[in-house]
Amino acid sequence: MFKIFRFTLAALMLGALLALASIKLHFPMGWIGGIGLIAWAILARRKWEKIGRQTGLDPSGPERVLRLRATGTALLLGHLCAALSYPDLDFHVGQGNFLAIDSWTMIAAFIVAGLLYQQDGKLSDERDRAIAFSGTQNGYHTLIASLVVLLLLLGFLPPNILEQLNYFTVANILVALITLSLFAKFLTQLFGYAKDTQALMALDSEP
């Protein structure tokens, strides 16, 4: 399970660092995240195929897709959260920063990486569906809880702070909350697979 935290945290931090670097350097940085995501997808697939040939303990098809989705979503979430930490910036294209271009660049790379895994998600069983259901529940609860927090903030924050929140900023906050709920869904599913794998390994080790 530590590996799950490690690679998703790394993706979150990379997304945030790319946004901050783009703001400070006034240069598009999303291509770094895009290339990194595609390279990770290729290298991870090769690694899993090697593990499968050697031990047969490689992740299942649906789990492979899930790892990619969790990594890509974490990258985008980190980037968006870092961008939102600068409420004075206009994210629109042509407004003196490259945040919107970077976001779309990484989304495009996410789609390209997903094409490499499009066959993996087609083979699923009852275990995959049960884990997906648990993830969907947690993602739904995360979305509702985050929306409640946002509504309370919008209702009770001082007027001088609310004046700084234009419609576009609020829209981006809502996108961040949706992305957060998806990240929670994928993370819950990954933990489900990890627990299932640990249980199977424990059974195999019994005399």
PDB file of all heavy atoms in Angstrom, residues 19 22-29 79 83 86 88-103 168:
ATOM      1  N   ALA A  19       2.961  23.610 -12.264  1.00  0.00           N
ATOM      2  CA  ALA A  19       2.163  24.831 -12.260  1.00  0.00           C
ATOM      3  C   ALA A  19       2.953  25.997 -11.675  1.00  0.00           C
ATOM      4  O   ALA A  19       2.976  27.104 -12.235  1.00  0.00           O
ATOM      5  CB  ALA A  19       0.873  24.612 -11.475  1.00  0.00           C
ATOM      6  N   SER A  22       5.697  27.090 -14.050  1.00  0.00           N
ATOM      7  CA  SER A  22       5.159  27.828 -15.192  1.00  0.00           C
ATOM      8  C   SER A  22       4.832  29.268 -14.810  1.00  0.00           C
ATOM      9  O   SER A  22       5.082  30.206 -15.579  1.00  0.00           O
ATOM     10  CB  SER A  22       3.907  27.121 -15.721  1.00  0.00           C
ATOM     11  OG  SER A  22       3.358  27.814 -16.823  1.00  0.00           O
ATOM     12  N   ILE A  23       4.279  29.447 -13.597  1.00  0.00           N
ATOM     13  CA  ILE A  23       3.937  30.787 -13.128  1.00  0.00           C
ATOM     14  C   ILE A  23       5.198  31.625 -12.908  1.00  0.00           C
ATOM     15  O   ILE A  23       5.271  32.794 -13.305  1.00  0.00           O
ATOM     16  CB  ILE A  23       3.117  30.711 -11.828  1.00  0.00           C
ATOM     17  CG1 ILE A  23       1.741  30.087 -12.109  1.00  0.00           C
ATOM     18  CG2 ILE A  23       2.950  32.085 -11.198  1.00  0.00           C
ATOM     19  CD1 ILE A  23       0.950  29.762 -10.859  1.00  0.00           C
ATOM     20  N   LYS A  24       6.199  31.029 -12.295  1.00  0.00           N
ATOM     21  CA  LYS A  24       7.415  31.768 -11.964  1.00  0.00           C
ATOM     22  C   LYS A  24       8.276  32.038 -13.196  1.00  0.00           C
ATOM     23  O   LYS A  24       8.886  33.113 -13.315  1.00  0.00           O
ATOM     24  CB  LYS A  24       8.233  30.987 -10.932  1.00  0.00           C
ATOM     25  CG  LYS A  24       7.534  30.782  -9.595  1.00  0.00           C
ATOM     26  CD  LYS A  24       7.248  32.103  -8.902  1.00  0.00           C
ATOM     27  CE  LYS A  24       6.595  31.879  -7.536  1.00  0.00           C
ATOM     28  NZ  LYS A  24       6.270  33.165  -6.862  1.00  0.00           N
ATOM     29  N   LEU A  25       8.349  31.068 -14.118  1.00  0.00           N
ATOM     30  CA  LEU A  25       9.239  31.195 -15.269  1.00  0.00           C
ATOM     31  C   LEU A  25       8.554  31.782 -16.495  1.00  0.00           C
ATOM     32  O   LEU A  25       9.218  32.082 -17.483  1.00  0.00           O
ATOM     33  CB  LEU A  25       9.814  29.816 -15.626  1.00  0.00           C
ATOM     34  CG  LEU A  25      10.635  29.118 -14.542  1.00  0.00           C
ATOM     35  CD1 LEU A  25      11.051  27.724 -14.996  1.00  0.00           C
ATOM     36  CD2 LEU A  25      11.857  29.943 -14.169  1.00  0.00           C
ATOM     37  N   HIS A  26       7.191  31.902 -16.437  1.00  0.00           N
ATOM     38  CA  HIS A  26       6.427  32.403 -17.579  1.00  0.00           C
ATOM     39  C   HIS A  26       6.721  31.569 -18.833  1.00  0.00           C
ATOM     40  O   HIS A  26       6.988  32.107 -19.919  1.00  0.00           O
ATOM     41  CB  HIS A  26       6.740  33.887 -17.833  1.00  0.00           C
ATOM     42  CG  HIS A  26       6.482  34.764 -16.656  1.00  0.00           C
ATOM     43  ND1 HIS A  26       5.209  35.095 -16.234  1.00  0.00           N
ATOM     44  CD2 HIS A  26       7.337  35.363 -15.773  1.00  0.00           C
ATOM     45  CE1 HIS A  26       5.288  35.871 -15.167  1.00  0.00           C
ATOM     46  NE2 HIS A  26       6.562  36.045 -14.867  1.00  0.00           N
ATOM     47  N   PHE A  27       6.658  30.253 -18.646  1.00  0.00           N
ATOM     48  CA  PHE A  27       6.979  29.326 -19.730  1.00  0.00           C
ATOM     49  C   PHE A  27       6.093  28.093 -19.588  1.00  0.00           C
ATOM     50  O   PHE A  27       5.841  27.635 -18.467  1.00  0.00           O
ATOM     51  CB  PHE A  27       8.462  28.922 -19.651  1.00  0.00           C
ATOM     52  CG  PHE A  27       8.948  28.153 -20.844  1.00  0.00           C
ATOM     53  CD1 PHE A  27       9.286  28.817 -22.008  1.00  0.00           C
ATOM     54  CD2 PHE A  27       9.062  26.771 -20.802  1.00  0.00           C
ATOM     55  CE1 PHE A  27       9.744  28.113 -23.128  1.00  0.00           C
ATOM     56  CE2 PHE A  27       9.511  26.061 -21.903  1.00  0.00           C
ATOM     57  CZ  PHE A  27       9.852  26.732 -23.070  1.00  0.00           C
ATOM     58  N   PRO A  28       5.596  27.546 -20.701  1.00  0.00           N
ATOM     59  CA  PRO A  28       4.752  26.348 -20.591  1.00  0.00           C
ATOM     60  C   PRO A  28       5.536  25.151 -20.076  1.00  0.00           C
ATOM     61  O   PRO A  28       6.624  24.843 -20.571  1.00  0.00           O
ATOM     62  CB  PRO A  28       4.275  26.126 -22.033  1.00  0.00           C
ATOM     63  CG  PRO A  28       5.287  26.811 -22.901  1.00  0.00           C
ATOM     64  CD  PRO A  28       5.750  27.993 -22.107  1.00  0.00           C
ATOM     65  N   MET A  29       4.968  24.452 -19.090  1.00  0.00           N
ATOM     66  CA  MET A  29       5.644  23.313 -18.478  1.00  0.00           C
ATOM     67  C   MET A  29       4.807  22.027 -18.564  1.00  0.00           C
ATOM     68  O   MET A  29       5.263  20.969 -18.145  1.00  0.00           O
ATOM     69  CB  MET A  29       5.928  23.621 -17.002  1.00  0.00           C
ATOM     70  CG  MET A  29       6.725  24.876 -16.758  1.00  0.00           C
ATOM     71  SD  MET A  29       8.411  24.805 -17.415  1.00  0.00           S
ATOM     72  CE  MET A  29       9.164  23.660 -16.260  1.00  0.00           C
ATOM     73  N   HIS A  79      -1.738  20.015 -10.267  1.00  0.00           N
ATOM     74  CA  HIS A  79      -1.548  21.204 -11.108  1.00  0.00           C
ATOM     75  C   HIS A  79      -2.655  22.226 -10.871  1.00  0.00           C
ATOM     76  O   HIS A  79      -2.390  23.426 -10.708  1.00  0.00           O
ATOM     77  CB  HIS A  79      -1.531  20.777 -12.578  1.00  0.00           C
ATOM     78  CG  HIS A  79      -1.229  21.881 -13.538  1.00  0.00           C
ATOM     79  ND1 HIS A  79      -2.210  22.698 -14.068  1.00  0.00           N
ATOM     80  CD2 HIS A  79      -0.050  22.337 -14.059  1.00  0.00           C
ATOM     81  CE1 HIS A  79      -1.655  23.582 -14.864  1.00  0.00           C
ATOM     82  NE2 HIS A  79      -0.356  23.398 -14.891  1.00  0.00           N
ATOM     83  N   ALA A  83      -2.461  25.995  -9.146  1.00  0.00           N
ATOM     84  CA  ALA A  83      -2.914  27.159  -9.914  1.00  0.00           C
ATOM     85  C   ALA A  83      -3.952  27.962  -9.140  1.00  0.00           C
ATOM     86  O   ALA A  83      -3.936  29.201  -9.150  1.00  0.00           O
ATOM     87  CB  ALA A  83      -3.484  26.700 -11.255  1.00  0.00           C
ATOM     88  N   TYR A  86      -3.272  30.835  -6.615  1.00  0.00           N
ATOM     89  CA  TYR A  86      -3.026  32.191  -7.111  1.00  0.00           C
ATOM     90  C   TYR A  86      -4.342  32.752  -7.640  1.00  0.00           C
ATOM     91  O   TYR A  86      -4.561  32.797  -8.860  1.00  0.00           O
ATOM     92  CB  TYR A  86      -1.971  32.181  -8.221  1.00  0.00           C
ATOM     93  CG  TYR A  86      -0.575  31.909  -7.742  1.00  0.00           C
ATOM     94  CD1 TYR A  86      -0.153  30.605  -7.494  1.00  0.00           C
ATOM     95  CD2 TYR A  86       0.327  32.947  -7.532  1.00  0.00           C
ATOM     96  CE1 TYR A  86       1.134  30.346  -7.055  1.00  0.00           C
ATOM     97  CE2 TYR A  86       1.618  32.708  -7.093  1.00  0.00           C
ATOM     98  CZ  TYR A  86       2.018  31.394  -6.855  1.00  0.00           C
ATOM     99  OH  TYR A  86       3.294  31.145  -6.412  1.00  0.00           O
ATOM    100  N   ASP A  88      -5.432  35.619  -8.042  1.00  0.00           N
ATOM    101  CA  ASP A  88      -5.355  36.839  -8.841  1.00  0.00           C
ATOM    102  C   ASP A  88      -5.047  36.556 -10.307  1.00  0.00           C
ATOM    103  O   ASP A  88      -5.149  37.456 -11.149  1.00  0.00           O
ATOM    104  CB  ASP A  88      -4.271  37.767  -8.272  1.00  0.00           C
ATOM    105  CG  ASP A  88      -2.913  37.079  -8.175  1.00  0.00           C
ATOM    106  OD1 ASP A  88      -2.878  35.913  -7.722  1.00  0.00           O
ATOM    107  OD2 ASP A  88      -1.898  37.703  -8.530  1.00  0.00           O
ATOM    108  N   LEU A  89      -4.704  35.306 -10.640  1.00  0.00           N
ATOM    109  CA  LEU A  89      -4.366  34.960 -12.016  1.00  0.00           C
ATOM    110  C   LEU A  89      -5.613  34.575 -12.800  1.00  0.00           C
ATOM    111  O   LEU A  89      -6.503  33.894 -12.294  1.00  0.00           O
ATOM    112  CB  LEU A  89      -3.372  33.790 -12.044  1.00  0.00           C
ATOM    113  CG  LEU A  89      -1.940  34.079 -11.581  1.00  0.00           C
ATOM    114  CD1 LEU A  89      -1.103  32.808 -11.670  1.00  0.00           C
ATOM    115  CD2 LEU A  89      -1.303  35.181 -12.411  1.00  0.00           C
ATOM    116  N   ASP A  90      -5.664  35.013 -14.037  1.00  0.00           N
ATOM    117  CA  ASP A  90      -6.727  34.624 -14.959  1.00  0.00           C
ATOM    118  C   ASP A  90      -6.211  33.435 -15.762  1.00  0.00           C
ATOM    119  O   ASP A  90      -5.227  33.539 -16.487  1.00  0.00           O
ATOM    120  CB  ASP A  90      -7.070  35.788 -15.886  1.00  0.00           C
ATOM    121  CG  ASP A  90      -8.287  35.487 -16.757  1.00  0.00           C
ATOM    122  OD1 ASP A  90      -8.667  34.307 -16.874  1.00  0.00           O
ATOM    123  OD2 ASP A  90      -8.852  36.438 -17.327  1.00  0.00           O
ATOM    124  N   PHE A  91      -6.886  32.277 -15.626  1.00  0.00           N
ATOM    125  CA  PHE A  91      -6.407  31.065 -16.284  1.00  0.00           C
ATOM    126  C   PHE A  91      -6.737  31.012 -17.770  1.00  0.00           C
ATOM    127  O   PHE A  91      -6.349  30.056 -18.444  1.00  0.00           O
ATOM    128  CB  PHE A  91      -7.003  29.821 -15.613  1.00  0.00           C
ATOM    129  CG  PHE A  91      -6.685  29.690 -14.160  1.00  0.00           C
ATOM    130  CD1 PHE A  91      -7.414  28.835 -13.351  1.00  0.00           C
ATOM    131  CD2 PHE A  91      -5.654  30.413 -13.576  1.00  0.00           C
ATOM    132  CE1 PHE A  91      -7.137  28.704 -12.002  1.00  0.00           C
ATOM    133  CE2 PHE A  91      -5.367  30.296 -12.234  1.00  0.00           C
ATOM    134  CZ  PHE A  91      -6.115  29.443 -11.435  1.00  0.00           C
ATOM    135  N   HIS A  92      -7.487  31.943 -18.281  1.00  0.00           N
ATOM    136  CA  HIS A  92      -7.854  31.901 -19.690  1.00  0.00           C
ATOM    137  C   HIS A  92      -6.607  31.964 -20.578  1.00  0.00           C
ATOM    138  O   HIS A  92      -5.602  32.602 -20.228  1.00  0.00           O
ATOM    139  CB  HIS A  92      -8.776  33.073 -20.052  1.00  0.00           C
ATOM    140  CG  HIS A  92     -10.171  32.930 -19.544  1.00  0.00           C
ATOM    141  ND1 HIS A  92     -10.575  33.456 -18.331  1.00  0.00           N
ATOM    142  CD2 HIS A  92     -11.253  32.308 -20.065  1.00  0.00           C
ATOM    143  CE1 HIS A  92     -11.861  33.191 -18.139  1.00  0.00           C
ATOM    144  NE2 HIS A  92     -12.299  32.489 -19.181  1.00  0.00           N
ATOM    145  N   VAL A  93      -6.700  31.302 -21.730  1.00  0.00           N
ATOM    146  CA  VAL A  93      -5.601  31.333 -22.691  1.00  0.00           C
ATOM    147  C   VAL A  93      -5.389  32.766 -23.173  1.00  0.00           C
ATOM    148  O   VAL A  93      -6.341  33.487 -23.464  1.00  0.00           O
ATOM    149  CB  VAL A  93      -5.904  30.416 -23.895  1.00  0.00           C
ATOM    150  CG1 VAL A  93      -4.800  30.530 -24.944  1.00  0.00           C
ATOM    151  CG2 VAL A  93      -6.053  28.975 -23.444  1.00  0.00           C
ATOM    152  N   GLY A  94      -4.111  33.186 -23.212  1.00  0.00           N
ATOM    153  CA  GLY A  94      -3.786  34.525 -23.693  1.00  0.00           C
ATOM    154  C   GLY A  94      -3.797  35.594 -22.626  1.00  0.00           C
ATOM    155  O   GLY A  94      -3.733  36.785 -22.944  1.00  0.00           O
ATOM    156  N   GLN A  95      -3.842  35.177 -21.354  1.00  0.00           N
ATOM    157  CA  GLN A  95      -3.885  36.151 -20.252  1.00  0.00           C
ATOM    158  C   GLN A  95      -2.547  36.278 -19.523  1.00  0.00           C
ATOM    159  O   GLN A  95      -2.498  36.621 -18.355  1.00  0.00           O
ATOM    160  CB  GLN A  95      -4.981  35.771 -19.263  1.00  0.00           C
ATOM    161  CG  GLN A  95      -6.376  35.839 -19.838  1.00  0.00           C
ATOM    162  CD  GLN A  95      -6.729  37.228 -20.332  1.00  0.00           C
ATOM    163  OE1 GLN A  95      -6.467  38.223 -19.663  1.00  0.00           O
ATOM    164  NE2 GLN A  95      -7.310  37.297 -21.525  1.00  0.00           N
ATOM    165  N   GLY A  96      -1.456  35.953 -20.211  1.00  0.00           N
ATOM    166  CA  GLY A  96      -0.136  36.160 -19.623  1.00  0.00           C
ATOM    167  C   GLY A  96       0.423  34.966 -18.889  1.00  0.00           C
ATOM    168  O   GLY A  96       1.504  35.062 -18.304  1.00  0.00           O
ATOM    169  N   ASN A  97      -0.272  33.841 -18.880  1.00  0.00           N
ATOM    170  CA  ASN A  97       0.262  32.621 -18.268  1.00  0.00           C
ATOM    171  C   ASN A  97      -0.114  31.428 -19.152  1.00  0.00           C
ATOM    172  O   ASN A  97      -0.923  31.539 -20.070  1.00  0.00           O
ATOM    173  CB  ASN A  97      -0.262  32.443 -16.843  1.00  0.00           C
ATOM    174  CG  ASN A  97      -1.766  32.275 -16.793  1.00  0.00           C
ATOM    175  OD1 ASN A  97      -2.298  31.209 -17.097  1.00  0.00           O
ATOM    176  ND2 ASN A  97      -2.475  33.342 -16.407  1.00  0.00           N
ATOM    177  N   PHE A  98       0.493  30.291 -18.839  1.00  0.00           N
ATOM    178  CA  PHE A  98       0.322  29.096 -19.674  1.00  0.00           C
ATOM    179  C   PHE A  98      -0.416  27.978 -18.940  1.00  0.00           C
ATOM    180  O   PHE A  98      -0.352  26.818 -19.349  1.00  0.00           O
ATOM    181  CB  PHE A  98       1.693  28.589 -20.135  1.00  0.00           C
ATOM    182  CG  PHE A  98       2.451  29.565 -20.981  1.00  0.00           C
ATOM    183  CD1 PHE A  98       3.346  30.453 -20.400  1.00  0.00           C
ATOM    184  CD2 PHE A  98       2.261  29.604 -22.352  1.00  0.00           C
ATOM    185  CE1 PHE A  98       4.052  31.354 -21.178  1.00  0.00           C
ATOM    186  CE2 PHE A  98       2.964  30.505 -23.137  1.00  0.00           C
ATOM    187  CZ  PHE A  98       3.857  31.389 -22.555  1.00  0.00           C
ATOM    188  N   LEU A  99      -1.128  28.322 -17.854  1.00  0.00           N
ATOM    189  CA  LEU A  99      -1.756  27.292 -17.029  1.00  0.00           C
ATOM    190  C   LEU A  99      -2.830  26.514 -17.789  1.00  0.00           C
ATOM    191  O   LEU A  99      -2.919  25.291 -17.671  1.00  0.00           O
ATOM    192  CB  LEU A  99      -2.350  27.947 -15.776  1.00  0.00           C
ATOM    193  CG  LEU A  99      -1.319  28.561 -14.816  1.00  0.00           C
ATOM    194  CD1 LEU A  99      -2.019  29.331 -13.701  1.00  0.00           C
ATOM    195  CD2 LEU A  99      -0.436  27.467 -14.222  1.00  0.00           C
ATOM    196  N   ALA A 100      -3.648  27.211 -18.562  1.00  0.00           N
ATOM    197  CA  ALA A 100      -4.695  26.529 -19.318  1.00  0.00           C
ATOM    198  C   ALA A 100      -4.084  25.632 -20.393  1.00  0.00           C
ATOM    199  O   ALA A 100      -4.510  24.481 -20.584  1.00  0.00           O
ATOM    200  CB  ALA A 100      -5.642  27.543 -19.949  1.00  0.00           C
ATOM    201  N   ILE A 101      -3.072  26.146 -21.095  1.00  0.00           N
ATOM    202  CA  ILE A 101      -2.393  25.352 -22.128  1.00  0.00           C
ATOM    203  C   ILE A 101      -1.754  24.117 -21.508  1.00  0.00           C
ATOM    204  O   ILE A 101      -1.827  23.011 -22.063  1.00  0.00           O
ATOM    205  CB  ILE A 101      -1.340  26.213 -22.849  1.00  0.00           C
ATOM    206  CG1 ILE A 101      -2.027  27.335 -23.626  1.00  0.00           C
ATOM    207  CG2 ILE A 101      -0.479  25.363 -23.773  1.00  0.00           C
ATOM    208  CD1 ILE A 101      -1.069  28.302 -24.285  1.00  0.00           C
ATOM    209  N   ASP A 102      -1.128  24.301 -20.345  1.00  0.00           N
ATOM    210  CA  ASP A 102      -0.503  23.172 -19.663  1.00  0.00           C
ATOM    211  C   ASP A 102      -1.540  22.121 -19.282  1.00  0.00           C
ATOM    212  O   ASP A 102      -1.298  20.914 -19.419  1.00  0.00           O
ATOM    213  CB  ASP A 102       0.225  23.657 -18.404  1.00  0.00           C
ATOM    214  CG  ASP A 102       1.509  24.411 -18.735  1.00  0.00           C
ATOM    215  OD1 ASP A 102       1.976  24.290 -19.880  1.00  0.00           O
ATOM    216  OD2 ASP A 102       2.030  25.106 -17.842  1.00  0.00           O
ATOM    217  N   SER A 103      -2.686  22.566 -18.790  1.00  0.00           N
ATOM    218  CA  SER A 103      -3.742  21.624 -18.401  1.00  0.00           C
ATOM    219  C   SER A 103      -4.211  20.796 -19.589  1.00  0.00           C
ATOM    220  O   SER A 103      -4.316  19.569 -19.510  1.00  0.00           O
ATOM    221  CB  SER A 103      -4.928  22.380 -17.789  1.00  0.00           C
ATOM    222  OG  SER A 103      -4.585  22.955 -16.555  1.00  0.00           O
ATOM    223  N   PHE A 168     -15.422  32.397 -13.050  1.00  0.00           N
ATOM    224  CA  PHE A 168     -14.445  31.496 -13.638  1.00  0.00           C
ATOM    225  C   PHE A 168     -13.644  30.763 -12.564  1.00  0.00           C
ATOM    226  O   PHE A 168     -13.361  29.568 -12.686  1.00  0.00           O
ATOM    227  CB  PHE A 168     -13.509  32.278 -14.561  1.00  0.00           C
ATOM    228  CG  PHE A 168     -12.577  31.417 -15.356  1.00  0.00           C
ATOM    229  CD1 PHE A 168     -13.050  30.607 -16.375  1.00  0.00           C
ATOM    230  CD2 PHE A 168     -11.220  31.409 -15.086  1.00  0.00           C
ATOM    231  CE1 PHE A 168     -12.188  29.807 -17.105  1.00  0.00           C
ATOM    232  CE2 PHE A 168     -10.348  30.620 -15.811  1.00  0.00           C
ATOM    233  CZ  PHE A 168     -10.831  29.817 -16.833  1.00  0.00           C
TER     234      PHE A 168
END
